[in-house]
Amino acid sequence: MQVSPQSSSQEISRFVERAKQTYDDKLAVKLEPEHTGEIVAIEPDSGAYFLGNDEIEAADNARAAGHHGPFYFLRVGSRYAHRLMTPRR
């Protein structure tokens, strides 16, 4: 199922969960630790993934291979692509 900006929050949540499950079940063992810190673009319906130093490079690599998403982005070795943290006091 494709997600888009018009998708419901439930559809988007299912897309995110499928992408995270794909990472946990198939990709983590392939990508860690050699690619830790890189961004991975995951196309959960096909299982395809593409690496880059940032989201743009990963998406460009996906498009160059004929994939057009949608993609879910994670940083290899993390549950997030980015984390915002408050300063320490």
Side-chain angles (χ1 to χ4, degrees):
M1 175 188 79
Q2 292 284 69
V3 294
S4 71
Q6 293 78 31
S7 295
S8 71
S9 61
Q10 292 85 8
E11 290 168 328
I12 293 169
S13 291
R14 285 192 296 271
F15 173 81
V16 168
E17 287 308 312
R18 285 194 321 272
K20 288 180 178 180
Q21 196 67 48
T22 297
Y23 181 83
D24 290 342
D25 292 349
K26 299 176 183 172
L27 301 179
V29 71
K30 288 182 183 181
L31 300 177
E32 295 173 15
E34 184 178 341
H35 296 282
T36 296
E38 292 179 50
I39 296 293
V40 60
I42 302 169
E43 193 178 58
D45 293 332
S46 71
Y49 67 95
F50 306 90
L51 294 167
N53 291 316
D54 56 33
E55 290 89 343
I56 294 170
E57 185 178 342
D60 286 347
N61 291 337
R63 287 187 191 98
H67 292 262
H68 300 285
F71 303 107
Y72 185 74
F73 297 93
L74 286 173
R75 187 168 303 279
V76 176
S78 175
R79 297 296 292 164
Y80 311 96
H82 303 279
R83 273 186 82 178
L84 300 176
M85 302 190 60
T86 58
R88 292 185 181 176
R89 295 179 186 223

